[in-house]
Amino acid sequence: MSVLTDVRSIPQSETRLSLTASFAAVIPVGGNPLGVALTPGGTRAYVANRSSNAVSVIDTATNTVTATIATGAGPTLVAIAPDGAHVYVSVADAALLSVIDTATNTVTASITVGAGATGVSVTPDGARVYVANQNASTVSVIDTATNTVIATIAVGNGPTGVTVTPDGAHVYVGNLASNTISVIDTATNTVATTITGLNGPAVVGITPDGAHGYVSNDGSDTVAVVDIATNTITGSIVVGDQPRFVTVSQNGAHVYVANYGSNTVSVIDAATNTLAGNLRVGEGPTGVAVTPDDSRLYVTNTDAGTLSVIPLTLIPNEGSTAGGTIVTINGHNLANATAVHFGTASATILTSTATSITVVNPAGAGAVPVTVTTPGGTGFLGDFIYFPAPQVNDVSPTEGPSDGGNTAVITGFNLAGAISASFGPNPAAIQSATDTQLTVTVAFAQNPGTVPVTVTTPGGIAAGPDYTYWPQPTITNVTPNTASTSGGTSVTLTGIRLATTQQVTFENVPADFSVISDTQISAIAPPQSAGQNITISVTTAGGSTSWNSFTYQDNPSV
């Protein structure tokens, strides 16, 4: 499935996960909402509803839909001009960029671009719009004064997200199908460099100072960190399943990643490039936007047809019942704070400014109100949820290939809200989480061997049973290399790493076999039609290998 241009239809009945923190609102919008963008003052949100062929306009003061604007077929992503006067909407199925006048909320122009128009980004001066054309492998450049295409730039395959740097000098394009990022020089509208080493890069979020980029890797469930000065990858952070949109807070402190497959938004601490926590939202989160004051997050739930509004006053908003969690409290008029309480218990204040306080929270249980006291009075800043310590009892399967990519189920207690799961030093991507079960994608292991399984939740870290990574097997010889079509020939398979063999097949027909050693298997060739280049496949705990030069021949006859 291609990212963004292919979506599932809305289910007849929506099922939402229980949330770790209260939403400010869950707003019904149109069918399959994808992109969301906020006006410069944060007073309105515009949401592209792909299957409804419309854009919803939300009043952020009341969190209600105040207008619905019809577009062409398949509105996908949204960008807003720096002065807030126009909204630019990519219309994928019609290969258009629609221009909406925010004063009247009407479409005033539709510009033909490339096939599968997806990502949209506006330069800081508002003079140009860059549109990624996913099916054409190009980026269109639009002059906003004339609403005409002034350049078409060839990039990698499947360009999806497009982001202009804060200084307007470059555009970063995530090429989903070619696993690269094209960096466009806006002075010449040519590709200046190409960044490799990615896995399904979809969208690039860039810090306000222009120093770092954060790239969602749909193929590996990670976010890559890019040094913008050198255009090199400097780090990788495991997030949720199928990460989509990435956005950076206005103060540059946090990165928010919508994980379509795990119904979460991952919060990354940009100072340490570590996962600070996960916010659970509706079904199929895709687009994400943060308000100018960093107080709220707007998330499109593509499969639920809704927009979640999440307060960001407490980061993280959950932690261990033992206390000791460092919590950042965001708000206004917080200078000279004299006390912070979690419920009735006092927190230790580490730092305090007019808009942010950092504290170490006390021990507690359940959901408690967080209040801040200053010389001006006491204010409520949100609810904090305490989690009990997790316990891991089992992992299934207990072994797998060192290449990873297989699914494993971890069972135990108090696993809801899991932040991460690791197989030794290898972080796994969490697909889904309940209180008693995690489903994860096992990560690649640099070295085969047995490693412990650990799970980190807001309540702490739990170690479970071991998991064994097995290396990839190889067949190096088959003797004899010919068998009768009637079957029954004893065949010796020679190779390496064969001790954990689970199945042997001759052209997909299972064969009886016995493991002699790590380098040898004895198999009985099953009946098969006459033919050459018959494939013998061996499946072990470390993966599969095959031999393609086996022959079946008919018995001699008169």
Side-chain angles (χ1 to χ4, degrees):
M1 184 179 85
S2 68
V3 172
L4 302 182
T5 57
D6 291 335
V7 294
R8 298 199 300 262
S9 60
I10 302 174
Q12 293 298 313
S13 60
E14 176 191 345
T15 301
R16 296 191 185 96
L17 295 173
S18 60
L19 304 177
T20 59
S22 299
F23 286 158
V26 178
I27 309 166
V29 286
N32 297 122
L34 293 173
V36 56
L38 294 161
T39 53
T43 58
R44 281 184 281 180
Y46 286 78
V47 178
N49 304 300
R50 182 170 169 77
S51 65
S52 295
N53 300 331
V55 170
S56 298
V57 185
I58 289 95
D59 182 329
T60 59
T62 61
N63 284 325
T64 56
V65 176
T66 58
T68 301
I69 307 165
T71 65
T76 303
L77 298 181
V78 186
I80 299 180
D83 63 3
H86 295 94
V87 176
Y88 297 92
V89 184
S90 59
V91 185
D93 296 342
L96 296 174
L97 180 73
S98 290
V99 184
I100 296 172
D101 185 326
T102 57
T104 60
N105 280 330
T106 57
V107 175
T108 57
S110 290
I111 307 160
T112 299
V113 288
T118 52
V120 188
S121 191
V122 187
T123 55
D125 62 4
R128 293 180 184 176
V129 178
Y130 287 78
V131 182
N133 305 306
Q134 194 174 66
N135 298 338
S137 296
T138 60
V139 169
S140 299
V141 187
I142 289 90
D143 182 327
T144 59
T146 60
N147 283 332
T148 57
V149 176
I150 59 172
T152 301
I153 308 164
V155 291
N157 294 329
T160 301
V162 57
T163 307
V164 180
T165 54
D167 62 4
H170 295 93
V171 178
Y172 283 71
V173 184
N175 301 310
L176 183 74
S178 57
N179 296 323
T180 61
I181 294 172
S182 297
V183 183
I184 296 171
D185 184 329
T186 58
T188 60
N189 281 328
T190 57
V191 174
T193 190
T194 299
I195 304 172
T196 60
L198 299 150
N199 192 341
V203 177
V204 183
I206 298 178
T207 53
D209 62 4
H212 296 95
Y214 291 83
V215 187
S216 57
N217 281 311
D218 180 70
S220 60
D221 299 333
T222 62
V223 168
V225 185
V226 175
D227 184 316
I228 297 298
T230 61
N231 284 322
T232 56
I233 298 171
T234 59
S236 181
I237 306 152
V238 173
V239 290
D241 187 36
Q242 299 178 58
R244 292 294 195 254
F245 242 82
V246 180
T247 195
V248 183
S249 62
Q250 305 298 326
N251 62 11
H254 295 96
V255 180
Y256 302 99
V257 186
N259 303 307
Y260 178 85
S262 53
N263 298 333
T264 61
V265 172
S266 292
V267 183
I268 295 169
D269 183 327
T272 60
N273 285 331
T274 57
L275 187 66
N278 290 305
L279 304 171
R280 279 169 280 172
V281 291
E283 282 191 272
T286 300
V288 59
V290 65
T291 55
D293 63 357
D294 288 328
S295 65
R296 286 167 293 161
L297 198 66
Y298 285 77
V299 183
T300 57
N301 302 308
T302 300
D303 296 338
T306 61
L307 181 72
S308 294
V309 186
I310 306 171
L312 296 175
T313 50
L314 303 177
I315 298 177
N317 56 14
E318 53 194 21
S320 169
T321 52
T325 301
I326 296 177
V327 180
T328 299
I329 303 171
N330 299 305
H332 299 283
N333 305 317
L334 302 179
N336 303 312
T338 56
V340 175
H341 287 90
F342 283 60
T344 58
S346 295
T348 301
I349 299 175
L350 300 178
T351 62
S352 177
T353 69
T355 58
S356 178
I357 302 173
T358 303
V359 302
V360 178
N361 77 329
V368 299
V370 177
T371 57
V372 175
T373 300
T374 72
T378 298
F380 167 72
L381 272 296
D383 290 319
F384 186 89
I385 299 178
Y386 285 96
F387 281 73
Q391 177 180 325
V392 174
N393 295 335
D394 191 28
V395 59
S396 178
T398 58
E399 58 185 14
S402 55
D403 287 346
N406 54 304
T407 297
V409 176
I410 301 168
T411 54
F413 298 100
N414 303 324
L415 303 179
I419 297 170
S420 65
S422 295
F423 288 61
N426 313 304
I430 298 173
Q431 299 176 16
S432 63
T434 68
D435 195 54
T436 59
Q437 180 173 294
L438 295 183
T439 301
V440 303
T441 302
V442 180
F444 165 81
Q446 187 70 38
N447 299 305
T450 299
V451 296
V453 176
T454 58
V455 173
T456 301
T457 76
I461 301 174
D466 290 338
Y467 179 90
T468 300
Y469 281 104
W470 291 99
Q472 181 77 23
T474 301
I475 297 176
T476 57
N477 192 39
V478 173
T479 305
N481 210 23
T482 302
S484 167
T485 55
S486 60
T489 302
S490 179
V491 178
T492 299
L493 311 178
T494 303
I496 55 175
R497 300 184 286 270
L498 303 177
T500 62
T501 296
Q502 300 164 344
Q503 186 180 58
V504 177
T505 63
F506 286 64
E507 206 68 25
N508 298 319
V509 178
D512 292 333
F513 70 93
S514 60
V515 176
I516 300 172
S517 68
D518 192 48
T519 61
Q520 203 167 73
I521 303 168
S522 176
I524 304 300
Q528 187 71 260
S529 300
Q532 297 180 341
N533 300 321
I534 300 298
T535 298
I536 301 175
S537 296
V538 174
T539 301
T540 74
S544 297
T545 183
S546 61
W547 178 271
N548 301 311
S549 301
F550 195 78
T551 299
Y552 271 96
Q553 66 181 36
D554 291 320
N555 292 325
S557 61
V558 176

